[in-house]
Structures are given as C-alpha cells and as structure tokens.
Amino acid sequence: MAVSLAADVGGVRRFASDQLLTLAKVVVENALQPIVEVQTGVVFGYESLMRGQERIGFDTPLDILDQAEAVGQLLPLEQMVASRALAKFATLPDHAAFTLFINLDVRLIPHGDAMVDSLLAHLKAARIAPSSVCFELSERFDNTNVPEFASLVNRLRRAGFKLAIDDFGVGHAEMKLLCDYPIDYLKIDRHFVAGVDGNPRKRHLVKNIVQIAHVLGVRVIAEGIETEGEFVACRELGVDLVQGWLIAKPTTHLAELLPAYPHLREVGQSRRSSQSLDEILIRKQIERLPTVYENDTIESVFDLFRRNPRQSFFPVLNANGEPRGIIHEIHLKEYIYQPFGRDLLKNKVYERTISHFVDRAPVVGLDADADRLMAIFANTEGSDCVLLTENMRYAGVISASSLIRIINEKQLKSAQEQNPLTGLPGNRAIRDFMQDAGRDSDGFRHFCYCDFDNFKPFNDHYGFHLGDHAISLFAALMRRYFFADGVFLGHVGGDDFFIGLSDWTSDELTEILDRLLSDFHGDVTELYSPEDRASGRIRGEDRHGITRDFALMRCSIGVLELPTGLVIDDVSRLSSEIAAIKKYAKESQSGLHISRFRELGQAEV
C-alpha cells in the first residue's frame, strides 16, 4: 500500500513538472502571517507564504520552487504568487498602514527588471505604495555573488521598496549584506529564538545582533515565536517585531486576521502605572525635526534647508512614515554652489533622487533606556543623532547634546532619591535593578530584603539618635561585605534595606550574610545599656500599643533566588514573593532564609 501511495505521488509530481504553472494556478494559495510590534501587539505587516503545493505532490514550497527552476518556470510562478499576494493584501482594511513581506528567490535576481516591472504594474493598479512591500532576501544561497544583485538592490531602493535579510544567522553572507547594502529589517532565524529564554548563549547572541542592527539603523524581527518565555526574552533584548505561532499561524482566510493582538502587552509585563524615568527624560529632550519623504523632489529639500538655515540635516522617511536615515546638507553643497548643479539634479538622464543622498542613522524605539542610547552613540562614528520611533513610525531625534542632558538629569534624580542618612539609592533604583536583573537570565540572581527585628522598641527607648546610628551601622557593614561588581545596595527606608546580586552561588551568599548578621548583632548590642545587655531584653510598646518584653535587636534577611534561564518582568510579583520569604526569615533561629523562585507557583520554601 505504501509503495502504491508513493508511486501515485511520484506520478503527480511528474505530471506537475510538465504542467507546473497551470496546476499551480489551480492549487497554490497565499497565506498571510502577522508580524506585530513587540511592545504593543499591533500588527505591523504580514509575511506572504505559499500553501497548497502538497496537492500536486510537493511537500514544501521550496520543493515546488526548485522544480519550477528546473523546468524554466520559476519567474512566471513567482510572478503569479506575488501578484496574488498583492491582490489579497489590497483587500485588507487599512492595508496602506501595513507592510507586505515577500520572499525574493536568489535565482530570480538575473530576471530582476522583469520581476520589478510586473510588480510595479500590480502596485499601481492596486494603488499600493512600493514602501508597503518588503523583499526578504533569502539566505539559502549567496545573493551577493550574483552579478546583477547590486543593480537590482539599487533599483528596488529607488522605487521605494524595503529590504529584509531572512533567516539571519544560518545562511550565506548575512554580514556582507548588513554591511554593504541598505537593509531595513533583519529577521533572526528561529534557531536562535527557540528556547532563548533559557539559553544564556542565545540571549547573548540575540542581544548583540539587536545592538549591531540598531546602530546601523536596521529594525529586528524575531521569527518563530512559540512560547511566552521566548516572546518576553525577545522583547527585553530589544527586538522590534515578532512573528510566530504564539501570535498567529499563517492563514489563507483573511477573516481570521486581527489588526492587533493586545494580549501580548500583558505577557510577562510588570504592572507599571507610570512611565520609566528614562522615558520621561527622553520625551522631554526629543526634537521633532521637519522630515523629508524619499519620494519628495530634490527642490523641496533645497527649500527645506533654505527655510531652516541653522539645521544641517533632516530625517528621511518612507511613504509609511518609517525612518530611512538622514539627508545632510554637506552632500548637496557641490550641487548648491555649482553653476548648473540644481539643473543637473533635475535632469532625468542624470537621475539623482533623494535616496542617493540618504545616510543611514541609528534607529531605536522610544522605550529604549538612556544607557542603551548612550551605547548606540558610542558605537556609531560621526552620527548626528539617533532616530526615535513610536509604534515603528518616526517620533523625533535625540542629539548627542540632548543625550548628555538626559544622562545628567538622570544622575541628578538618582542623587536626589538617595537616602540622606545612608547615601544609598532608594525605591525607584531598587525597582529598576530588580526589573533589569529579572530580564537578564544569564546567571543566578539574588534579591535580599533586610529588616531589623525589634527596632521600634529600641528607637522608642533610646531615641532617634541611636536609632539612626543603628541604621548607619548596618549600611556601613553592607558596604564592607558587598563591594564587588554586580552588587547593588539600596535603602528601602527606615530599618529596611535591599541587597541585589548577580552571579553569586547560594553558598557564597550564605557565608557572607551569616557574617553580616553576626557582626551587626554584636555591634548593635553595644548600643544598649549594660543592664539591658545583661538581661537580654527591654520593655517597650509594640505596634498595637501593648507593653511587653522585647529581645535585643537583630536583622532578618529573606533571600529570593532567581535561577539561570528564568526571565521575569513582573516586579510586583517578585516583591510579593520576597515579602513572604521575609516572614520565614523572621521566624528562623538564624534570621536568614533563602528560597528559589519557581516560574509557576510560589517560591520554594
């Protein structure tokens, strides 16, 4: 039976090879898979994928494309698939707001002019701007070795199309493409996305790919997102856009497509009711310069510089409002001061458009923090600015001088929030540390909450002066024992402190905390009168106003351990876990209790 079935399939394929295009027109369909903005869940675009080829004996789209190439029908097959994708895309409500991603087979590059001519005709008929179409350059073969590749890329850019590198990391010449060609998007292959939340090596690679891409003005798409952990990890590593089964599977039925997937905003998010300090400061300094559209005339650019004589550059956008780079007056000076320079630019034979003068510039979202912006500036030689986007559209620019003001104001705010008694950072800084550490799963992380036992009766009995002395004493001991890199010390307020650590083992931490608790108890005991020390207790009122005996003061420390590979962005949940652990610490004989956080359920106690 199996032999018969195989023979049937083989027969269909042989028949299909003779009539491939005719049969493909009958069975092949276009499926669309949403590509969404990682911060909002709003759909940015759709990738067009081939479906239905199995009905004529081809297991995958690649199989039918290979066969089409073998029988000389690849170009008409791809033209048919692309035209149908555009027709389907054009029926979407508000399709002008989206981008259609179409795969470009390297074997079509020698036929690039015919392909582009056909596509432009379809776009014109459907009234779709070329900037609504992005060609994905497949890394199955080395595009850059095809002689016609450079000229095809230039034509695509002049026409207004966008370009993406597909399957980044597993193909040929991706870094050459990224370095030498004006790429808009980089699609990280599923290999690096799968299990990224639990794999430090993958996290490190993705983080650096994102950093490199943003410095070059390229936006990053993570392919194949299938779990919430992968989604959260990609979001926190700075990825701009995501696609995969977690969001939506490819579908041939347009009614199944949604304009947004708002549930993604809640996945792994901490419940913050306000903006971060960095975003507030960045929004204060953002400068919304006038913009140039890449399909504007050169004359309009001259006019813009004439009306803004103190501005040396302007952002360049595509028809969808996405940044393409900047246009700098220095590149136009030779034409401005040349006797017939402007006439030369207008000459159709000479053919110089705005796209010829665009310089790439770093592009990041408004949700980036100040340190990330500073890192991008540090890695971008001679950059005039960083282009900021909100929902992937141009939001303004940040110059180097503006960034310096942001950093200075952030440092001033941090200094103002330090506790005046101990000089340690306060609650905002503690929260920021916990959030950053929760997102960085490369090693063990420990959050230690320190709280004095029986501080109130001591403070009531001996006065605020000695109470402040005990607080200062503990802060000094913290600094003595925790001074290495990767250690954060904070003062929650009163007699509550916080210690945050990365890359410490539980044994190392237990040893140091035992010494800290022992030394503090010994030193603080000396603050009591000889009589109280001898009795080991004092009389005082508890928080309910009831008079009773209290033991001498000590400190209890509850420690929450986050294991390697765990990504969590919910600071409120972490805080509630720590509060529960603190109760166990106060009830313990040693005053120290360490629990490991589990991704599902409560901490292990």
Side-chain angles (χ1 to χ4, degrees), residues 554 556-559 577-595 602-605:
R554 71 166 191 175
S556 296
I557 302 179
V559 181
E577 297 282 1
I578 292 171
I581 295 169
K582 186 178 70 170
K583 292 173 57 178
Y584 288 98
K586 286 185 170 294
E587 294 169 358
S588 69
Q589 185 173 357
S590 67
L592 176 63
H593 185 87
I594 300 178
S595 293
Q602 300 298 310
E604 294 177 347
V605 296

Side-chain angles (χ1 to χ4, degrees), residues 400-424:
S401 58
S402 296
L403 183 57
I404 291 172
R405 287 194 290 271
I406 290 169
I407 297 295
N408 286 339
E409 190 168 353
K410 182 179 179 181
Q411 291 175 342
L412 179 61
K413 291 279 187 184
S414 298
Q416 291 173 343
E417 290 180 356
Q418 287 181 348
N419 188 282
L421 179 61
T422 62
L424 293 173

Side-chain angles (χ1 to χ4, degrees), residues 344-358:
L344 187 61
L345 286 175
K346 296 176 185 177
N347 191 314
K348 291 186 178 181
V349 176
Y350 185 63
E351 203 176 15
R352 283 293 184 270
T353 62
I354 287 176
S355 61
H356 285 88
F357 302 102
V358 174

Side-chain angles (χ1 to χ4, degrees), residues 80-365:
M80 182 268 291
V81 172
S83 63
R84 288 185 175 182
L86 286 172
K88 181 169 281 192
F89 179 73
T91 64
L92 292 172
D94 302 321
H95 63 265
F98 304 127
T99 296
L100 178 65
F101 289 76
I102 299 176
N103 288 281
L104 174 62
D105 194 304
V106 66
R107 294 167 294 191
L108 291 177
I109 292 174
H111 311 287
D113 285 335
M115 179 189 64
V116 174
D117 288 341
S118 173
L119 198 59
L120 287 172
H122 286 295
L123 287 171
K124 185 176 181 180
R127 298 184 179 180
I128 298 174
S131 59
S132 291
V133 176
C134 179
F135 283 104
E136 296 188 14
L137 303 173
S138 171
E139 285 306 303
R140 195 166 167 234
F141 306 99
D142 187 354
N143 296 278
T144 60
N145 279 340
V146 182
E148 299 88 351
F149 180 68
S151 61
L152 176 60
V153 168
N154 287 335
R155 183 174 180 196
L156 291 172
R157 296 300 297 198
R158 288 198 307 271
F161 292 107
K162 297 187 285 190
L163 298 174
I165 302 176
D166 195 16
D167 305 321
F168 188 87
V170 296
H172 299 80
E174 298 104 336
M175 295 304 290
K176 285 170 62 179
L177 279 172
L178 198 57
C179 177
D180 298 339
Y181 293 93
I183 300 298
D184 295 286
Y185 308 102
L186 180 157
K187 301 186 77 173
I188 300 177
D189 187 76
R190 165 70 185 159
H191 173 80
F192 302 99
V193 172
V196 65
D197 49 320
N199 189 317
R201 293 171 69 89
K202 287 186 177 182
R203 286 177 59 80
H204 183 71
L205 282 170
V206 171
K207 181 179 180 180
N208 282 278
I209 289 171
V210 170
Q211 177 77 1
I212 292 169
H214 285 173
V215 166
L216 297 176
V218 177
R219 314 313 295 272
V220 179
I221 304 171
E223 297 182 288
I225 300 287
E226 295 184 359
T227 70
E228 290 189 359
E230 292 168 356
F231 173 80
V232 171
C234 287
R235 181 177 61 199
E236 303 313 333
L237 292 172
V239 167
D240 303 290
L241 300 160
V242 291
Q243 71 179 109
W245 285 13
L246 178 70
I247 297 96
K249 294 182 180 181
T251 179
T252 59
H253 304 293
L254 298 186
E256 296 178 0
L257 298 174
L258 303 176
Y261 297 83
H263 70 280
L264 295 176
R265 298 189 65 169
E266 303 301 321
V267 175
Q269 281 279 35
S270 59
R271 305 301 190 261
R272 290 185 297 172
S273 59
S274 61
Q275 296 170 316
S276 68
L277 173 62
D278 283 29
E279 186 173 347
I280 292 171
L281 296 178
I282 290 170
R283 285 184 180 274
K284 283 175 58 179
Q285 293 294 335
I286 194 170
E287 184 178 3
R288 192 170 177 88
L289 294 178
T291 59
V292 177
Y293 284 87
E294 59 185 355
N295 56 354
D296 286 347
T297 64
I298 289 290
E299 188 61 37
S300 68
V301 179
F302 286 134
D303 184 59
L304 192 59
F305 278 114
R306 185 169 54 251
R307 287 186 283 108
N308 299 271
R310 295 188 178 183
Q311 186 61 39
S312 61
F313 67 90
F314 294 101
V316 179
L317 312 181
N318 65 22
N320 294 50
E322 300 170 80
R324 277 292 181 93
I326 63 172
I327 187 166
H328 207 288
E329 66 174 349
I330 194 170
H331 298 313
L332 297 173
K333 280 185 176 180
E334 61 175 300
Y335 300 100
I336 295 173
Y337 300 118
Q338 198 171 297
F340 303 103
R342 295 194 179 191
D343 293 333
L344 187 61
L345 286 175
K346 296 176 185 177
N347 191 314
K348 291 186 178 181
V349 176
Y350 185 63
E351 203 176 15
R352 283 293 184 270
T353 62
I354 287 176
S355 61
H356 285 88
F357 302 102
V358 174
D359 285 336
R360 304 294 284 181
V363 181
V364 295

Side-chain angles (χ1 to χ4, degrees), residues 1-18:
M1 183 68 179
V3 174
S4 175
L5 181 60
D8 288 344
V9 172
V12 171
R13 289 192 61 161
R14 282 193 298 274
F15 179 72
S17 296
D18 297 332

Side-chain angles (χ1 to χ4, degrees), residues 6-7 26 28 44 153 164 195-196 378 382 404 427 481 491 525 545 566 591 599:
V26 176
V28 169
F44 174 77
V153 168
V196 65
I404 291 172
N427 287 312
Y481 285 118
H491 191 167
T525 299
L566 173 66
E599 193 166 2

